[in-house]
Amino acid sequence: MDLARTEVIRPEVTRRSKQNAARLGLIAVPVAFFAVFFAYPVAAIVARGLKVDGVWRLGRIADVLGQSDIRHVLWFTTWQALASTALTLLVALPGAYVFARFDFPGKQVLRAVVTVPFVLPTVVVGTAFLALVGRGGLLDELWGVRLDTTVWAILLAHVFFNYAVVVRTVGGLWAQLDPRQEEAARMLGASPLAAWRRITLPALAPAVAAAALMVFLFTFTSFGVVQILGGPTFSTLEVEIYRQTSEIFDLATAAVLTIIQFAAVGAVLALHAWTVRRREATLRLVDASVTARRPRGTGQWALLGGVLGSIVVLLLLPLAVLVQRSLDAPDFGFYRALTRDDGGLFLVPPVEAIGNSLRYAAAATVIAVLIGGLAAVALTRRDAGRFVRGFDALLMLPLGVSAVTVGFGFLIALDEPPLDLRSSWILVPLAQALVGVPFVVRTMLPVLRATDTRLREAAAVLGASPWRAWREVDLPMVRRALLIAAGFAFAVSLGEFGATVFIARPDNPTLPVAVARLLGRAGEVNYGQAMALSTILMIVCAVALLVLERLRTDDRTGEF
């Protein structure tokens, strides 16, 4: 009996050993990629700032934190992120309810339009609000009001950028909550407010917390928006890291600020992971298609009208003003000026930045899909070890760690054989792919985990190798998710600015870098060209998003 049992168990043990070995082999490539192109450059710039003659000088941390201007930057970074998060929740939660519970004509198109600002590069967001509230902007022309020298411009731009995060994350879950629970409470005598506060709000709390943490993360590490709208008055950690590295060349201060930001981002991501697990573990959801209905009564129609009005004012108006400013010159003068080489700011005509950006983004997408796809497959099993689960959390770090630090770290670390890449074109796609990989993983992982594991096991029993089982079982099911992941990676790569501004060569600028350079030089023509390039970049991102919206399959998880 024992011999027979051994003969049965031995093949199963061998099969599981092969699966574990295959999983480790899959994750080895993403681990190596992040170690070489993320951990190594960040560690290199931190070490360069905190080591003197090979000796660590940790006392520099206290010295930097003792500077009053640095403490002011830390304070401003934190409170503007908190204020931006609170304002975004206040404005976007009614929109989340409308998209979750109401059914109205044009809802799907409007949903895509609402998401456009999130995939726009932060440089374009800053440029759009500069055209709206800056010198010579719409408010300045109509009422003589300028907000570009106030913190309100930054806060409103952050609401514009993060509105879709709340609508997608909270609204996606809200649409799946069973409305009969709240209706039962009202039948038992509870007021509408009491029923919502006691039934719906506790169920939504994890989603609201997750959305708030993501908004806080994006605003805490804000760079392009603050760089353009804040001017010399306001500076976040990310902007100050850029100033310390590129203008003052004080690597010690930049290294300390990088460590502080890294610690803050790690804490936020840990909280976010906890809220997501809590939401997945405690909710019982229904089909979202049965919860939406047409508005009833004056109050609901007024709410719908108010949300649509806020979308027009906060989301569509800045984009419309951006397009209008790009057309101020007769006969598309600003667009035609993009084809000329002035021999000053650019070594090539600015219009070449369009082709550069598309080529870089395409290469970055291939890298991100390859690395992110391998990581997602390795992370598919829920019984993965601690190392694998820890790597899942680390994959999100590039979204919050200073892109400026990564870009400058590329220049410092990747300058010696066999990794002397400073003169290579691949450096820009590598930096952009770091931002795209988390979107690929987060898009593909839920679909891969939803695949019935018995199909893979049946393929293995029939003799299929792990690679063949994945190709013939998983790939047909995740093909559409893979296309969506590639689209997100392309969009975010197209707009990456923080790292690219350091490593893009003068004769091969990307669109965000070209926009920032044009805005940094005085003159109406330069300003108009910046608006024209921003409009082109906005259109490309919007087209990519509309394609994603058509490919979107199952949005029931509420994940962005």
Side-chain angles (χ1 to χ4, degrees), residues 213-227:
L213 287 170
M214 290 305 295
V215 173
F216 181 85
L217 175 65
F218 291 138
T219 53
F220 187 83
T221 58
S222 182
F223 177 54
V225 169
V226 181
Q227 177 81 349

Side-chain angles (χ1 to χ4, degrees), residues 20 23 378-389 449:
N20 292 333
R23 188 180 303 112
L379 296 169
T380 298
R381 289 181 63 92
R382 296 183 181 274
D383 59 347
R386 292 183 179 179
F387 172 76
V388 175
R389 292 196 299 270
R449 283 178 171 169

Side-chain angles (χ1 to χ4, degrees), residues 168-169 172-173 176 279 285 446 554-560:
R168 289 269 184 162
T169 304
L173 178 62
Q176 297 173 260
R279 178 178 55 180
L285 307 177
D554 189 358
D555 196 35
R556 289 177 296 174
T557 60
E559 294 295 327
F560 190 81

Side-chain angles (χ1 to χ4, degrees), residues 7 19 24 26 30 32 56 94 144 190 192 196 238 343 365 400 402 411 463 489 494 496 501 541 547 558:
E7 294 298 325
Q19 289 179 344
L24 291 176
L26 288 174
W56 287 91
W196 181 85
E238 189 82 356
T365 300
S402 171
L411 296 181
L494 196 66
E496 205 287 321
V501 70
C541 290
V547 172

Side-chain angles (χ1 to χ4, degrees), residues 213-445:
L213 287 170
M214 290 305 295
V215 173
F216 181 85
L217 175 65
F218 291 138
T219 53
F220 187 83
T221 58
S222 182
F223 177 54
V225 169
V226 181
Q227 177 81 349
I228 293 174
L229 297 176
T233 306
F234 301 107
S235 179
T236 57
L237 275 174
E238 189 82 356
V239 174
E240 188 64 21
I241 292 172
Y242 174 78
R243 190 174 74 89
Q244 295 290 340
T245 52
S246 65
E247 298 177 9
I248 304 177
F249 208 71
D250 185 352
L251 294 186
T253 300
V256 172
L257 296 181
T258 297
I259 294 172
I260 294 173
Q261 183 165 308
F262 187 87
V265 167
V268 172
L269 289 178
L271 282 173
H272 180 262
W274 179 78
T275 57
V276 170
R277 286 197 303 270
R278 180 185 170 196
R279 178 178 55 180
E280 290 176 346
T282 60
L283 295 181
R284 296 295 180 267
L285 307 177
V286 298
D287 187 355
S289 62
V290 303
T291 61
R293 53 179 174 75
R294 293 185 64 82
R296 302 173 184 172
T298 305
Q300 292 188 355
W301 281 107
L303 176 61
L304 176 60
V307 168
L308 295 179
S310 66
I311 290 174
V312 170
V313 173
L314 289 176
L315 305 186
L316 299 184
L317 183 59
L319 300 180
V321 173
L322 174 65
V323 176
Q324 185 268 325
R325 287 291 184 268
S326 73
L327 298 172
D328 272 352
D331 300 324
F332 299 96
F334 293 142
Y335 289 90
R336 286 167 35 190
L338 296 175
T339 63
R340 297 194 294 267
D341 181 10
D342 60 6
L345 191 62
F346 298 97
L347 300 180
V348 295
V351 71
E352 293 195 14
I354 301 173
N356 295 335
S357 287
L358 293 176
R359 287 191 294 271
Y360 286 144
T365 300
V366 173
I367 298 171
V369 168
L370 175 62
I371 301 299
L374 291 175
V377 173
L379 296 169
T380 298
R381 289 181 63 92
R382 296 183 181 274
D383 59 347
R386 292 183 179 179
F387 172 76
V388 175
R389 292 196 299 270
F391 184 67
D392 186 13
L394 291 176
L395 286 172
M396 295 291 290
L397 282 179
L399 293 181
V401 172
S402 171
V404 171
T405 300
V406 174
F408 196 65
F410 268 35
L411 296 181
I412 292 177
L414 306 180
D415 63 342
E416 296 179 358
L419 289 175
D420 187 3
L421 301 177
R422 285 190 300 177
S423 59
S424 174
W425 67 272
I426 196 64
L427 203 62
V428 174
L430 286 172
Q432 294 174 342
L434 284 172
V435 183
V437 167
F439 286 91
V440 174
V441 174
R442 295 272 77 81
T443 302
M444 294 186 60
L445 194 56

